[in-house]
Amino acid sequence: MPVLHLKAKPNGRRNQLEIAPDGSVTVRLNAPAQDGKANACLLGYLADVFGVAKSSLTLLSGHTAPFKKVEVGGLSSEEFEAVLARFRG
């Protein structure tokens, strides 16, 4: 299953996925970084972005850190890359 490496930035105005020219992924979240709210918001937003159920996503690491690894189930590597390609500048 594909794994997304990203940096989460809580307390944003809206949820937004950005991919820098170097390929690094940043996700801005409109939830605070307290009591797991930002992580729940992140998984819900990524489920919408990738068109999968929230239960298909697993936060592998970074539960309390800005740098996270999220496993995306239910997608092939090609489908995963196609979704990310929509966000590349």
Side-chain angles (χ1 to χ4, degrees):
M1 283 185 259
V3 175
L4 180 63
H5 298 256
L6 61 95
K7 181 175 183 182
K9 290 190 170 183
N11 299 317
R13 278 183 268 143
R14 59 191 167 104
N15 294 333
Q16 184 178 8
L17 190 148
E18 301 168 346
I19 300 179
D22 67 0
S24 62
V25 177
T26 301
V27 180
R28 298 181 190 282
L29 303 165
N30 67 352
Q34 65 185 33
D35 303 324
K37 290 177 185 168
N39 286 340
C41 179
L42 172 68
L43 294 178
Y45 176 64
L46 290 178
D48 290 343
V49 166
F50 287 102
V52 298
K54 193 172 172 182
S55 60
S56 299
L57 299 171
T58 306
L59 184 57
L60 298 175
S61 66
H63 293 80
T64 59
F67 293 96
K68 301 179 184 297
K69 288 184 191 176
V70 179
E71 185 177 65
V72 182
L75 289 180
S76 69
S77 294
E78 293 79 19
E79 292 168 320
F80 176 79
E81 290 299 330
V83 170
L84 289 181
R86 295 192 327 232
F87 291 91
R88 288 195 168 90

